[in-house]
Structures are given as C-alpha cells and as structure tokens.
Amino acid sequence: MKRAILILLSLVITYIACAQGGTIKVYNGKIVEGDFFNEKVYVFKEYQEGRIRLNTGEVYTGKFNINTMTQTLRVISDSGDTIAINNEKLVEVVSSGNNFFRKFNIGYIQYLNTDGSVSLGLHRSMKMGQERLQGAYGGTNEVSSIQKIANIDVDSRVEKIVGHAELRYTYTETVFLLKDDRYYPANKKNFEKMFPAKKAQMNKYVTDNKLSFSRKEDLVTLFNYLLKF
C-alpha cells in the first residue's frame, strides 16, 4: 500500500468537527481532576491487542493505544510499563479487531466504513492550551513482538509542573472522506464529488431526514445510506 499523501487544505475550509473543552487540575505534574480529559486522551478505554505496520513492511504485535494529544502510539512492555515506540514516524497503519487506523500527517484517522473505494474516517485530537497557574492493513516480511520497536519510557506526568496548576484543553472529533490515500473534509461538496451517480438520491435523503453536514452522527448515517445502493 502506498504511503498516505497529505492534501493541503485551505484554512477557510470548514471541517466537520465536534469540539469540547475544559480544564484539568494538575498537582506536581499529575492530573488530580479532569475525568473527560482522562477519558478522551486515549482512543481506547483499555489497551488493545493489535498489529502495527511500518512503511518498511515490518509488522509488530502487542497491546497498544493511541494518544490523541501527541498523536502517537503507547504500548505495554513485557514488564507492564507504558512506553512509546522509537520510530513513530515510520508507522503506517495500526489495527485491533475491526478497528483500523491509518497514520496521516495530522495523526491517526480511524476508518469507520468503506465501499472499497471511498471511506469515512474519524480523527480524534486533544489540544492543550494555556496554563492557568493557581498561585505561586497489507503484506509483511515478518510479524514480531512490538517490544522490538518500543523502548522509549513515558512517565505519567502531563507536564513537569511543580505545585498546583490548571491547564486548558480542547478535544475535537473530525469526520473525513478518504480516497486514494488522501483525506478530504466531509462536506456536501465532497460527498457529491465522491458519489456523483448518487447525488440526487443523496440530496433527497438529506432533505427528507433533515440531516446536517455539520453533525458527525448525520454524516455517518448518510455515508451508510449511500453504501446500500
């Protein structure tokens, strides 16, 4: 499979995204308050058994998760520690069961559904903002243990902060259309471009069901509908 090619998109293009924000409280570098942040900072609630394929064709297996803030993988070492891989930039795809992710320049996009040509994907992103201080899939050569490429220690601290602090964050889920190793905003124009033969049916379905191209759930509903015929 060819490496993903990033499409440079103008800043004036509106991405279909759902964003939520808030603050976390940190004490001596550890999060002491921030349930939503803790829930969304990783894609999976628990580490999953899966496969990681590099663009060199090498494949590794083990337990992993995806950090939505750093857009990097975290894996469980043989000793039970959480560590990062030392060649993250070589990662091409990761999968666990029916969950399939492809690595793009913006990070990991999960493939939600596909007709074999066009796919619908979801990108999750956690951004840390200003600090408020309170006082002072494909062929492989071999399948190996993920431990061979995972050897960077990751400590449990969000930031090396001494004392109390509050950090702002924004969590965003953005829906994309994917085709030929590229990703596009999941807007009306691109839906019509990807499904030209279904344009009339699509517009009627959107109108009849009062769907909105600005709602993530409606985009999933529309895409699934278009795959039926």
XYZ file of all heavy atoms in Angstrom, residues 48 80 83 104 118 160 164 207:
65
model
N -5.397 -2.397 23.752
C -5.919 -3.462 22.906
C -4.808 -4.277 22.251
O -3.764 -3.735 21.880
C -6.794 -2.865 21.798
C -7.937 -2.003 22.288
C -8.990 -2.800 23.021
O -9.465 -3.828 22.533
N -9.350 -2.327 24.210
N 5.251 -4.511 31.952
C 3.993 -3.887 32.325
C 4.010 -2.376 32.309
O 3.021 -1.733 32.666
N 5.008 2.497 27.451
C 6.129 3.084 26.718
C 5.701 3.501 25.317
O 4.643 3.109 24.820
C 7.317 2.102 26.627
C 6.878 0.790 25.970
C 7.903 1.826 27.999
C 7.989 -0.229 25.812
N -1.694 9.635 9.129
C -1.507 10.763 8.221
C -0.674 11.827 8.935
O -0.342 11.683 10.113
C -2.861 11.352 7.809
C -3.686 10.460 6.918
C -4.533 9.499 7.464
C -3.626 10.580 5.535
C -5.305 8.680 6.647
C -4.388 9.763 4.709
C -5.226 8.813 5.261
N -14.251 4.570 -1.501
C -14.371 5.743 -0.625
C -14.639 5.269 0.792
O -15.422 4.344 1.009
C -15.515 6.667 -1.095
C -15.616 7.885 -0.183
C -15.301 7.090 -2.542
N 5.674 18.757 33.502
C 6.508 18.775 34.701
C 6.251 20.069 35.457
O 7.037 21.011 35.421
C 7.973 18.620 34.327
C 8.291 17.252 33.752
C 9.766 17.084 33.438
C 10.035 15.682 32.900
N 11.459 15.483 32.580
N 0.438 23.482 42.222
C -0.893 23.402 41.619
C -0.964 24.208 40.320
O -0.345 25.260 40.201
C -1.950 23.943 42.587
C -2.096 23.113 43.827
N -2.955 22.040 43.900
C -1.489 23.200 45.037
C -2.875 21.500 45.105
N -1.990 22.184 45.818
N -32.614 15.897 2.713
C -33.776 16.755 2.929
C -34.887 16.026 3.679
O -35.444 16.551 4.659
C -34.324 17.260 1.591
O -33.303 18.011 0.911
C -35.539 18.147 1.806
